[in-house]
Amino acid sequence: MPRQLGELEDAVMTRVWQWNRPVTVREVLEDLQQERSIAYTTVMTVMDNLHQKGWVRREVDGRAYRYTAVSTRAAYAAALMNEAWSQSDNPAAALVAFFGMMSPEQRESLRDAVRMAGQLEDNPDRADHAESPEQGAQRAPQEAAQAAEPDETQGGAGR
């Protein structure tokens, strides 16, 4: 189960997820600076930490790295919800309480999701090819760790 992202990690990952393309530290920095005062080295450190934790993969592009999300925001959110639910001593009561906190729009989204999950159960061929968000979130850090470059140091290329 992935650990919940910190505030700055989440701000960085939000941009990586929204842009859905390889991004540089400079691009993320410039966007973050529209909201707050932040140093290049701070963003670089956060992105390196996200890489070390398996949330992003990176490739050298000239003298910089380009970072790409390993998993989706939906997979991350699903994994967090699943972890919270599984930690409850009464999962049914936890779900009832959670549903009670939902807006009408969120409950409608839940109904849609349950219908889609039911369709997958009714058609096993589709379910074989579908990856749940939880599977994607659990797989992401493992894949990133396997793809990590052996020479990654604080003074490595691209910084």
Side-chain angles (χ1 to χ4, degrees), residues 1 8 15 17 28-29 32 40 42 59 61 66 75 83 86 101 117 128 131-132 135 138 148 150:
M1 163 60 201
L8 191 51
R15 282 144 181 91
W17 282 320
V28 174
L29 170 72
L32 284 170
Y40 180 92
T42 301
E59 294 181 15
D61 183 14
R66 290 208 173 263
E83 177 67 14
S86 68
M101 295 176 198
D128 289 343
E131 178 179 83
S132 75
Q135 290 168 325
Q138 288 175 346

Side-chain angles (χ1 to χ4, degrees), residues 6-25:
E7 178 193 349
L8 191 51
E9 289 174 327
D10 186 69
V12 169
M13 283 306 301
T14 293
R15 282 144 181 91
V16 175
W17 282 320
Q18 285 176 342
W19 295 339
N20 197 27
R21 63 174 172 75
V23 300
T24 64
V25 170

